Amino acid sequence: MGGWQALPDDLPPEVRHFVEQLRQLKDSTGLSLVSLGARTAYSKSSWHRYLNATQPPPRQAVAALCRIAGLDGADTERFAVRWELAVQAWPRPATAPAPSAGVRGEEYEDDPTLPWWDEPPKETVAGMNRLLLSAALLLALVLLIGIVGAVASG
């Protein structure tokens, strides 16, 4: 594995195997970390952490790399299984709190649950709430005018 830094000696076997396979997959694409970052929702520095076993990658990052490498459904599923086994065995940082409610990876930075292109901006959600409130108030006003008009003409 040419230019890769050595993985820590104390890595669990599941993590070591997964990261080695992930490195081979990345190398098979011929892309640099910068190019890989440009083609996925994950930065060069994130890929550096994932491929050096500093931090487990999100499932979506692994799926993106599989897609870019042109893997078929069965091979992609095998990577998903390797990811699951590795994340369960991944060593936790000494200062990190224990994961809550059985969710793994919460203590790691840059662990999006949605790719950046699927996550609505927070201001958009607030704007939609204001729009819905305005529509509800307008509907109530129209109904009130209709009721007053019916009572006045009748």
Side-chain angles (χ1 to χ4, degrees):
M1 260 178 254
W4 294 109
Q5 69 185 41
L7 293 173
D9 292 332
D10 60 346
L11 274 182
E14 300 89 350
V15 175
R16 178 175 297 283
H17 178 70
F18 173 72
V19 172
E20 287 171 349
Q21 294 293 310
L22 203 62
R23 285 176 170 188
Q24 287 178 0
L25 186 60
K26 183 263 177 212
D27 287 345
S28 75
T29 67
L31 296 173
S32 67
L33 291 180
V34 172
S35 298
L36 184 59
R39 294 187 61 186
T40 66
Y42 304 91
S43 67
K44 170 194 169 201
S45 59
S46 293
W47 280 110
H48 185 267
R49 289 190 300 272
Y50 307 152
L51 294 166
N52 286 304
T54 306
Q55 175 182 348
R59 180 185 293 268
Q60 297 92 340
V62 176
L65 180 56
C66 288
R67 186 185 72 252
I68 290 168
L71 293 186
D72 65 15
D75 288 333
T76 299
E77 184 60 33
R78 280 192 279 281
F79 259 95
V81 170
R82 287 185 199 121
W83 174 85
E84 185 70 37
L85 294 170
V87 168
Q88 289 175 7
W90 211 284
R92 303 287 170 225
T95 59
S100 61
V103 176
R104 301 224 178 250
E106 287 184 348
E107 63 270 27
Y108 292 104
E109 241 180 274
D110 192 32
D111 189 11
T113 55
L114 287 176
W116 61 267
W117 59 82
D118 285 342
E119 190 172 344
K122 290 179 183 12
E123 61 274 1
T124 301
V125 172
M128 287 173 32
N129 288 341
R130 283 192 302 272
L131 182 62
L132 286 173
L133 179 60
S134 298
L137 289 173
L138 184 59
L139 178 61
L141 182 61
V142 167
L143 288 173
L144 182 61
I145 290 171
I147 291 170
V148 169
V151 168
S153 66

